[in-house]
Amino acid sequence: MRFGILVFPGTNCEMETFYVLREVVGVQADYVWHEARDLTPYDAVVIPGGFTYGDRVRSGALACRAPVMEAVAEFAARGGLVLGICNGFQILTEAGLLPGGFRPNAHGRYRCGWSRVRVENAATPFTLACRPGQVLKIPVSHGMGNYQADPDTLRALSENQQVLFRYCTPEGAVTPGANPNGSAENIAGIVNRTGNVAGVMPHPERATEQVLGSADGRLLFASMVQHLTGRVIRV
């Protein structure tokens, strides 16, 4: 099994993602430059975090027009797994592969620190290794993480069980105080209607070993491997 990790000018979390895939969950992984047009060698694609093209215009607005994103759209249409993390999530919304969009954090400040998210749907390729309602400790690091969508879209996300994670307290309560950026309905991660394209604003690649303070982020990558191969990775 082989993962592709997309790299744009300004991506800065590709090495952490590469390490996690190769050394922690034990799959083959390659960097894929933004000018690539063929993703057929890959079983899954990860779009890592960073500040692509310096976040000019707005986060993800230029990266979504890179040649590789046409390949990502084709890859997703064939059922390939795509995971966008932070800036990767923003790119997927700008590309129209996930609904909604992002505004600057409601408090106007960059937020970097631990967050807790509650698993809302544990029956997707990205959450198979989680328990419903499980609280994960995963860090956030963003200035534009305020996820928003129109009321009809928010309603559809909930009704179709497309919300993967909501920001919560350590006890699992979804409260305004647990929301680090003002996201609508405390949404921290969603999946598309067909279940193969996901975006998460926290950084699971930064929480995959206890020495980092949490290994909860490993569950997302372990879920993808389990979905693709049936192999269960203990976390």
Side-chain angles (χ1 to χ4, degrees):
M1 187 179 47
R2 195 172 175 187
F3 278 61
I5 303 168
L6 304 195
V7 181
F8 301 83
T11 299
N12 64 13
C13 297
E14 71 275 24
M15 286 187 277
E16 296 97 318
T17 305
F18 183 87
Y19 170 80
V20 170
L21 291 171
R22 292 286 294 263
E23 305 299 331
V24 179
V25 298
V27 298
Q28 186 174 353
D30 303 319
Y31 295 125
V32 180
W33 190 232
H34 66 109
E35 294 175 325
R37 296 180 182 275
D38 182 13
L39 293 173
T40 54
Y42 301 104
D43 301 292
V45 168
V46 179
I47 309 177
F51 302 92
T52 51
Y53 301 95
D55 275 354
R56 295 190 179 186
V57 183
R58 62 180 177 274
S59 301
L62 297 182
C64 77
R65 292 166 170 77
V68 75
M69 290 308 297
E70 292 183 17
V72 170
E74 294 170 1
F75 182 79
R78 296 195 301 271
L81 295 189
V82 180
L83 173 64
I85 301 169
C86 195
N87 191 213
F89 188 2
Q90 295 162 337
I91 294 168
L92 289 172
T93 61
E94 290 287 343
L97 294 174
L98 288 173
F102 288 87
R103 294 175 177 168
N105 293 346
H107 44 64
R109 300 185 301 276
Y110 193 94
R111 183 68 178 270
C112 182
W114 289 106
S115 69
R116 266 71 171 186
V117 297
R118 189 178 71 189
V119 178
E120 300 292 287
N121 183 351
T124 78
F126 307 93
T127 53
L128 279 176
C130 304
R131 302 187 307 277
Q134 184 176 358
V135 176
L136 308 183
K137 181 183 176 184
I138 303 178
V140 295
S141 181
H142 54 246
M144 192 170 172
N146 182 358
Y147 178 81
Q148 296 294 325
D150 62 71
D152 288 343
T153 299
L154 292 173
R155 188 180 309 112
L157 287 172
S158 293
E159 290 177 354
N160 298 326
Q161 298 186 314
Q162 291 176 248
V163 178
L164 296 178
F165 305 107
R166 295 187 197 274
Y167 297 109
C168 68
T169 67
E171 295 76 28
V174 175
T175 67
N179 189 335
N181 48 44
S183 287
E185 300 181 1
N186 281 43
I187 289 174
I190 61 173
V191 67
N192 67 344
R193 186 70 182 270
T194 53
N196 65 310
V197 178
V200 296
M201 188 46 61
H203 284 265
E205 81 282 5
R206 298 184 185 178
T208 58
E209 296 174 294
Q210 287 298 341
V211 69
L212 299 174
S214 172
D216 291 347
R218 195 190 311 177
L219 289 164
L220 276 77
F221 301 103
S223 295
M224 295 173 73
V225 173
Q226 183 175 337
H227 174 79
L228 290 167
T229 69
R231 178 164 64 95
V232 176
I233 298 173
R234 292 187 179 276
V235 177

